Amino acid sequence: MPGGRLTRLDRQFIATGLREGLGYAEIARRLQRPTSTISREVNRNGGIYAYRADRAQQASAKRARRTATVEPIESPPGAEREFMDRFVELMINTGIPKTAARVLACVHMSDRGSMTTGELTRRLGVSPASISKAVAMLETTDLIQRTRDPRTRREHYVVGADVWYQAWLASTRMNFRWAEVGREGAALFGATPAGERLDLMARFFEHLSQTMYEVGESWWAAERTKSSRG
């Protein structure tokens, strides 16, 4: 079916088309597939002159089995597992996607405060692509950071000591944006019911964001003082 996985018959058609001198675009058109799907399939399996349908099918089956056999490593015992489940559930209820919530919980609960893609893949039993997507989402809210080990060149996903402070600031900045939009709308609609609602929205978010900023700065200043004394 168009858009699904290539079948053995599809691969046989590709091999025949290549022997007949058809280009990727024409083969893709006849199979009702994106041209990129055909070019990727051929380049992955020997190129135009070495592509063989049977070998390509075997390679595809092998990749599928390898993906399917990724299993999670042993879960944390007893109370730790229960805590992790509650931690993940809390994050999901605040709008964080499930995989991202599980990634963040794993990194938080690790002794180093950092994990690699391979470690997270084994722990959670998901693909590296899923980990990468989850980390990208967490980076947008400053809940996780990427670092690279210069010795191994592996990426590590880290939660810093100031992770929740940074997340708080990100939320504060978002509230400032809500206030800005409210002010723009109030100016646009003027002395109308819509303008009054938008003005109220602007004033609420201005007050909220300013208060959040002051609270966050006060807490972080106290933490820095505590650390310097320790």
Side-chain angles (χ1 to χ4, degrees):
M1 101 185 191
R5 291 181 180 275
L6 290 171
T7 65
R8 183 182 297 274
L9 189 61
D10 292 334
R11 291 187 167 94
Q12 289 172 348
F13 184 91
I14 292 171
T16 300
L18 292 173
R19 286 196 300 272
E20 293 176 353
L22 298 181
Y24 292 154
E26 180 58 22
I27 294 173
R29 187 186 68 78
R30 296 187 187 186
L31 285 177
Q32 297 182 6
R33 303 275 185 163
T35 302
S36 60
T37 297
I38 306 304
S39 63
R40 187 166 55 246
E41 165 70 13
V42 174
N43 292 330
R44 179 188 284 172
N45 293 287
I48 294 176
Y49 301 107
Y51 183 85
R52 297 294 182 271
D54 288 345
R55 284 207 300 264
Q57 183 67 23
Q58 290 169 5
S60 175
K62 189 177 296 184
R63 285 193 299 270
R65 285 195 299 271
R66 189 161 58 240
T67 300
T69 55
V70 173
E71 296 181 358
I73 60 178
E74 186 178 351
S75 299
E80 290 184 18
R81 178 65 190 181
E82 292 176 4
F83 171 77
M84 182 174 178
D85 289 343
R86 291 199 304 275
F87 193 6
V88 169
E89 183 180 5
L90 173 63
M91 287 188 281
I92 291 173
N93 288 338
T94 63
I96 298 177
K98 183 177 180 179
T99 301
R102 294 176 71 203
V103 166
L104 187 57
C106 280
V107 177
H108 262 286
M109 293 172 64
S110 68
D111 288 338
R112 300 193 315 268
S114 73
M115 296 183 76
T116 65
T117 295
E119 290 170 334
L120 286 165
T121 296
R122 292 192 299 274
R123 169 66 71 184
L124 300 178
V126 299
S127 68
S130 297
I131 298 298
S132 180
K133 182 178 179 181
V135 168
M137 180 270 160
L138 292 168
E139 284 182 305
T140 64
T141 49
D142 296 318
L143 289 172
I144 214 164
Q145 299 172 353
R146 295 176 193 251
T147 63
R148 187 179 291 277
D149 187 331
R151 296 166 300 177
T152 64
R153 299 183 62 81
R154 288 181 180 176
E155 282 192 336
H156 288 252
Y157 307 126
V158 181
V159 287
D162 63 344
V163 57
W164 296 113
Y165 170 69
Q166 294 298 333
W168 182 266
L169 288 184
S171 181
T172 302
R173 289 191 293 270
M174 180 57 68
N175 285 326
F176 270 122
R177 294 191 191 103
W178 277 98
E180 289 173 356
V181 170
R183 285 195 299 270
E184 290 176 9
L188 177 63
F189 289 95
T192 65
E196 291 174 2
R197 282 192 297 272
L198 289 164
D199 179 64
L200 179 61
M201 168 183 148
R203 288 185 287 112
F204 171 76
F205 281 106
E206 283 174 357
H207 176 76
L208 180 62
S209 55
Q210 185 61 38
T211 301
M212 287 178 65
Y213 177 77
E214 292 170 357
V215 168
E217 286 297 297
S218 174
W219 179 87
W220 188 237
E223 282 297 303
R224 287 197 298 267
T225 300
K226 186 189 302 182
S227 298
S228 63
R229 288 174 180 171

